[in-house]
Amino acid sequence: MMNDTEYMQLVLQLALKGKGKTSPNPLVGAVIVKNKKIISTGYHQQAGGKHAEIVALDRAGEKAKGSTLYVNLEPCATCGKTSPCTERIIKEKVKKVVISIVDPNPVNKGKGIKRLKAKKIKVVKGVLRREGEEINKAFAKFITQRRPYVILKIAQSLDGRIATFSGDSKWITSPTARQYVHRLRSEMDAILVGVDTIIKDNPLLSARFAPQRLFKHQPAKIILDSFLRIPLTAKVFSRQSPAEVIIATTQSASLPKVKKLEKKGVKVLILKERKSNSENKQIDLKLLMEELAKIDVVNLLIEGGSKVFTSALEDKVIDKMLFFIAPKIIGGVKALSSVGGEGVNKISQALQLSNLKIEKIGEDIMVAAEMGG
């Protein structure tokens, strides 16, 4: 016989099936239990589609009467693209609702619980609360701060290099680690690189199972390019890599080049330059995050290169970092380090990471950590 915690664990597993498909909506799963037996399950499969509770209630039919509904996020009590879930729960005469977390969306926060209690439906909240908060961390940031949740991914050698002195960087990490990153891409709304990565490596920036087999969901491709140096023949524009291309540039960009890119279907964002000690004109990443939120980018993966990593850290737009560390020593004073810039003057000024997790991925080690100590 399962208890509330075990049922909620199943709910969370169901919710995760929607990864990469539900933005800007949260990940939600639902399980309906009656007489100590699971009678139906459901999860939110895509934005605009049925909510998890509705999927589960549809499947339960008349059996939903007198049942217990387990759901990881407080049911909505407000009208959006779909009708309020609370009204359907009430209509089906569900007896009890068990929730992991209260909805972080200020529009609905607490209203769903209040509505259910007003109709004499018992509500229990906080079951696996930490786990519930974790899987919808990106949604919570997006809905409360109007900024995407940003993961910075770095593949480097044991001595912190991402390329040799000649610029060679393929491949530092193992095929297993690279496949892990491709799956991660498939769960993101967008991935971001600098134009130097495009010019040097000419990547597709797609999410692939294998060289020619794409994941069903493809993230948008965002390229930082202050002067629009990107070649019009770059692979990111090809049919092999089907996804929206967004280029963030500055007012120094060539207007004729802007028009050529727009004719190719590329979205060009012209942004203010960031304040920097460098003479190079760089894009203000904080402003870029605001613009990306406007087009419903909830999850963003930053992949390269060193200048972009440095700017992202200096502009403080990073939430989480993933270091894939290969058991290799590259060496060389002129070899490219993963993070550049001027650095800090004292160790006490170093960026502090927290919630450190270490995992072996193929031949490599993955270190995951969150910003802030």
Side-chain angles (χ1 to χ4, degrees):
M1 185 174 67
M2 296 172 68
N3 56 32
D4 283 358
T5 298
E6 290 169 321
Y7 286 127
M8 193 59 73
Q9 285 173 340
L10 176 56
V11 166
L12 294 170
Q13 289 170 15
L14 288 165
L16 289 171
K17 287 185 175 184
K19 265 193 168 185
K21 308 177 190 75
T22 65
S23 290
N25 295 345
L27 297 168
V28 185
V31 171
I32 296 178
V33 177
K34 188 174 182 180
N35 298 326
K36 300 178 183 178
K37 292 182 179 180
I38 295 174
I39 60 172
S40 71
T41 64
Y43 70 96
H44 184 43
Q45 298 181 26
Q46 61 182 21
K50 290 181 179 180
H51 288 189
E53 302 96 310
I54 304 304
V55 175
L57 287 167
D58 283 349
R59 291 175 177 172
E62 294 180 358
K63 293 180 181 179
K65 183 178 180 181
S67 66
T68 297
L69 167 67
Y70 291 84
V71 61
N72 58 299
L73 187 71
E74 174 186 8
C76 61
T78 53
C79 286
K81 291 183 178 179
T82 60
S83 301
C85 292
T86 51
E87 301 314 298
R88 180 65 185 278
I89 293 167
I90 293 164
K91 180 182 177 182
E92 299 296 343
K93 296 182 170 55
V94 172
K95 184 179 179 181
K96 178 180 175 183
V97 177
V98 180
I99 299 164
S100 178
I101 64 170
V102 174
D103 192 344
N105 187 347
V107 174
N108 187 61
K109 188 175 184 179
K111 292 180 181 178
I113 293 172
K114 185 177 180 181
R115 176 65 177 155
L116 294 173
K117 286 183 174 180
K119 291 296 181 178
K120 309 301 180 185
I121 296 174
K122 185 177 180 181
V123 178
V124 176
K125 61 182 180 179
V127 177
L128 293 184
R129 179 181 58 81
R130 289 183 181 178
E131 292 86 346
E133 289 173 344
E134 180 65 29
I135 72 164
N136 275 310
K137 191 177 288 186
F139 170 74
K141 181 186 179 184
F142 175 78
I143 207 69
T144 58
Q145 301 179 36
R146 303 308 298 178
R147 301 285 190 282
Y149 184 86
V150 182
I151 299 173
L152 189 152
K153 178 233 109 183
I154 296 175
Q156 65 177 44
S157 63
L158 197 58
D159 57 339
R161 305 298 202 273
I162 62 172
T164 67
F165 72 90
S166 67
D168 181 44
S169 60
K170 291 186 177 181
W171 296 99
I172 290 177
T173 52
S174 67
T176 305
R178 297 199 298 275
Q179 188 55 53
Y180 183 102
V181 173
H182 276 277
R183 180 166 291 280
L184 179 62
R185 284 181 180 182
S186 76
E187 298 171 354
M188 296 288 112
D189 296 321
I191 57 177
L192 182 151
V193 300
V195 71
D196 287 342
T197 296
I198 301 296
I199 292 171
K200 178 180 173 295
D201 298 332
N202 197 19
L204 286 168
L205 291 185
S206 55
R208 303 183 297 278
F209 285 105
Q212 301 300 324
R213 189 181 172 198
L214 298 173
F215 280 93
K216 186 174 181 180
H217 169 72
Q218 290 295 312
K221 294 167 282 192
I222 302 168
I223 299 149
L224 303 183
D225 189 358
S226 299
F227 299 100
L228 291 186
R229 294 186 292 124
I230 189 168
L232 294 174
T233 56
K235 286 182 180 179
V236 288
F237 303 129
S238 73
R239 291 181 180 178
Q240 287 180 277
S241 183
E244 182 180 19
V245 179
I246 300 169
I247 297 182
T249 189
T250 66
Q251 294 173 338
S252 299
S254 161
L255 288 180
K257 186 72 172 283
V258 170
K259 291 179 180 179
K260 287 180 181 179
L261 288 165
E262 288 178 338
K263 281 184 179 180
K264 292 178 74 69
V266 176
K267 185 179 183 68
V268 180
L269 300 176
I270 300 175
L271 303 172
K272 289 182 180 179
E273 299 156 12
R274 68 192 290 266
K275 294 180 180 179
S276 172
N277 294 328
S278 170
E279 293 182 3
N280 296 324
K281 295 180 185 292
Q282 297 177 326
I283 292 150
D284 187 322
L285 295 185
K286 287 184 178 179
L287 288 179
L288 176 59
M289 296 306 118
E290 292 177 12
E291 292 301 313
L292 294 181
K294 290 177 184 177
I295 56 174
D296 289 339
V297 173
V298 177
N299 298 279
L300 175 66
L301 178 66
I302 296 180
E303 289 208 42
S306 181
K307 290 179 183 177
V308 176
F309 297 155
T310 305
S311 296
L313 288 167
E314 289 177 349
D315 284 356
K316 297 180 180 179
V317 298
I318 305 301
D319 295 289
K320 183 177 181 178
M321 298 188 73
L322 293 178
F323 288 89
F324 290 84
I325 304 171
K328 299 173 182 176
I329 302 292
I330 292 176
V333 175
K334 294 183 180 180
L336 192 60
S337 297
S338 55
V339 180
E342 293 183 4
V344 297
N345 185 41
K346 297 180 179 179
I347 295 297
S348 60
Q349 298 171 327
L351 290 173
Q352 184 67 47
L353 304 180
S354 62
N355 295 331
L356 197 71
K357 294 180 181 177
I358 300 173
E359 184 179 348
K360 196 167 187 297
I361 308 288
E363 301 170 3
D364 311 310
I365 294 172
M366 183 183 75
V367 178
E370 295 176 353
M371 299 302 297

